Each structure stands twice: as C-alpha cells, then as structure tokens.
Amino acid sequence: MNNSVDRLDRLIDTHCHLDFEAFDTDRPEVIARAAAAGVTRLIIPAINAESGAAALHLAATYPGIYVGVGIHPNDTKDYDPALLVSIGEQAREAKCCAIGEIGLDYYRDWSPKADQRRAFEDHLMLAAAVGKPVIIHNREAAEDVIAILRAWIGGLDGDLRARPGVLHSFSASWEIAEQALDLGFYLGFTGPVTFKNAEDTRRIAAAAPLERILVETDAPYLTPHPHRGQRNEPRYVRLVAERLAALRNMSDADFFALTTGNAERLFQLPIVARAEDVTVNAPDH
C-alpha cells in the first residue's frame, strides 16, 4: 500500500466502529495511521445509545470524525420505543450525519424478528424527522429490508428522497442491488471485495453506477487482503478502494475522488477542495 498522499487523493471510510473495545489500547495511533494513509475522514455508526455517545465524543475530539446514531438489529432484543428519545437527541448533534447502523439481521439469533422490525421502522421515522440518511445493515434479510425501505421511501419528499442512505457492506444479489439503486440508495463495499471467493460481489461493484459507490472497512471486522485475519483499521479502506478502482479501470486518484464526492453528497459532509483543509488526525482543543 502506497502511503504517499502528496495530492488530494484522500479517502473517507464511511463505516468503521472506532468506538469499539478493539481500539481501546491504541485508538489515537489508529487514527494517525489512517491519516498517514490518506484516510482523512471517518464515519462511526453506533450500535446503541451508549455507542452513539462514545462516537459523538470522538467526533468532538477529532475534526474529521462524523457519526451515525441508532440501534443495531442485534441490539434490539426487548426493544423499547422510549429509547428513541436519547437517540433522537444524538441525531440532532451537528457531527451526526446519519441514522444507523440499523436494519435486519436474520443470521444471528440475538433479537426476535418482531423487535428488529419495530426498531427498524421507528428509526426510519426518526431519519425522516431529522432529514438524515440511513446506514442499513442487512444480513440474510434482504427481501424484508427492501420491502420496509420501499414503504419508507414512498412517504419521503424533498432532499432526503434523493439521498436516502446506503446498504452497508453490500453482499446480496444483483437483483437486490438493482432494487436498492432504484430506490436511490448507495452501495457500500468492504474488505470481502478483495477476497478470492467474492466474484459475485465484485461483479456487482463493477456494474453499479459509479455515483452510488462508497468504500468502508467495518473495522475492526472484514479485514481486506493481504491483512485478512488481523484486526481491521480505517487505513485499510485504501485497499478496498484500490481493488474497486482496478475493477472499474480507473486510476486510484480518480476513484478516490469519486467515492469521496459520493460520501460528501450522501452524508452532506463539508466539501474539501484542498488536502490541508481536512485531517482526522489532529484533536480539537
């Protein structure tokens, strides 16, 4: 991986769990390594209210960090709609750019499907109320996810309808990708796009509209090749972007600029014209 970033070929890791315990021993160093690799902005999606508070604290500390807030489907067992009071307060913070990570997970048996669906639908209503896009988790629940999103989109108007959100770490079929794209969603790609056995995901990444592609790590999970088996870090989003650039027959710099622009548009992040205008590395004081 080339860590030379003399020009504005900067990247945004649009999905990393930097608040997780896996980073407790070296979080500042992880952030510094990301900046050195050209990953100058990060989005941390929460998994519950406590995670959201931790992510917002990091966002207040580092100028290049932004946050999504909400309850992950695997954290929705015994879901109580009253929880949305604190989530709603977090959603109105200036550094909150999305609602999520929300959605459905039928692979794990950690939360009843009814609780997952209720939480998902409530969070979508919150997203509409605050005018922020959603970060969607889908694991073996694609048909239900798309059906719920389609119903939600039908009730939206204005700006949010044109940028409703992203299907994070996309791994479903092309048919699901087409339906999501038709609804206006972006597709996020993570480390598995670099794996030898991920031809289906690569075909989707090669066919999706360029203006709807985001790059993510999902750190500390889904580490890309050649670091598979190690803890993932935001700096490795560069490996995901380089693999996708090759798939699209684009230069790394052009593809980096494209996905950065996509993230700025979807999450309404400040548009950066010069490399010196942004860094995730320097804490605010």
Side-chain angles (χ1 to χ4, degrees):
M1 182 170 62
N2 180 9
N3 284 345
S4 176
V5 286
D6 295 333
R7 53 176 293 168
L8 188 58
D9 56 352
R10 302 298 174 110
L11 282 163
I12 300 174
D13 181 356
T14 60
H15 196 114
C16 61
H17 296 285
L18 199 62
D19 60 304
F20 278 17
E21 183 180 357
F23 297 109
D24 281 356
T25 60
D26 64 344
R27 191 171 287 110
E29 291 80 9
V30 168
I31 293 170
R33 287 193 291 268
V39 185
T40 55
R41 283 176 288 178
L42 316 173
I43 296 175
I44 305 175
I47 61 168
N48 52 42
E50 294 77 16
S51 173
L56 284 167
H57 175 74
L58 286 171
T61 304
Y62 295 92
I65 290 181
Y66 296 84
V67 172
V69 299
I71 304 175
H72 189 287
N74 288 334
D75 272 33
T76 57
K77 185 178 181 181
D78 302 321
Y79 169 71
D80 182 352
L83 293 170
L84 279 192
V85 174
S86 58
I87 300 293
E89 292 173 352
Q90 293 174 348
R92 291 171 173 84
E93 293 284 339
K95 294 293 291 284
C96 174
C97 66
I99 303 300
E101 175 176 359
I102 61 173
L104 301 175
D105 190 318
Y106 294 171
Y107 176 77
R108 303 287 185 190
D109 190 25
W110 295 352
S111 297
K113 290 181 180 179
D115 287 344
Q116 291 189 44
R117 290 177 63 96
R118 189 177 307 113
F120 188 17
E121 291 168 349
D122 285 355
H123 280 79
L124 291 172
M125 291 175 60
L126 173 62
V130 298
K132 294 182 178 180
V134 290
I135 298 171
I136 301 300
H137 174 101
N138 163 41
R139 194 163 188 192
E140 297 188 5
E143 291 185 3
D144 285 355
V145 165
I146 290 294
I148 291 171
L149 291 176
R150 182 176 290 112
W152 176 63
I153 290 285
L156 293 180
D157 54 22
D159 175 64
L160 192 59
R161 186 158 190 162
R163 51 175 197 93
V166 56
L167 269 66
H168 148 66
S169 193
F170 191 84
S171 61
S173 67
W174 174 245
E175 289 73 22
I176 294 298
E178 284 187 306
Q179 292 180 63
L181 292 165
D182 286 346
L183 292 174
F185 279 83
Y186 292 62
L187 305 180
F189 293 97
T190 48
V193 78
T194 69
F195 298 170
K196 289 182 179 179
N197 63 349
E199 287 300 327
D200 288 345
T201 302
R202 280 191 287 275
R203 279 193 287 270
I204 292 170
L210 284 169
E211 67 273 14
R212 299 284 194 81
I213 292 176
L214 300 179
V215 290
E216 316 172 330
T217 58
D218 200 24
Y221 312 114
L222 302 180
T223 312
H225 176 81
H227 302 287
R228 191 175 183 182
Q230 304 171 24
R231 181 191 67 176
N232 204 359
E233 294 188 10
R235 62 173 165 157
Y236 294 148
V237 79
R238 195 175 179 96
L239 297 171
V240 175
E242 288 169 352
R243 188 69 179 90
L244 292 174
L247 280 176
R248 302 306 294 247
N249 294 313
M250 296 176 65
S251 71
D252 290 348
D254 286 347
F255 188 79
F256 293 0
L258 174 90
T259 60
T260 294
N262 290 348
E264 289 173 340
R265 182 171 62 254
L266 173 60
F267 296 112
Q268 296 204 326
L269 304 179
I271 295 174
V272 174
R274 301 176 305 164
E276 59 266 30
D277 287 343
V278 63
T279 178
V280 75
N281 191 31
D284 282 336
H285 295 290

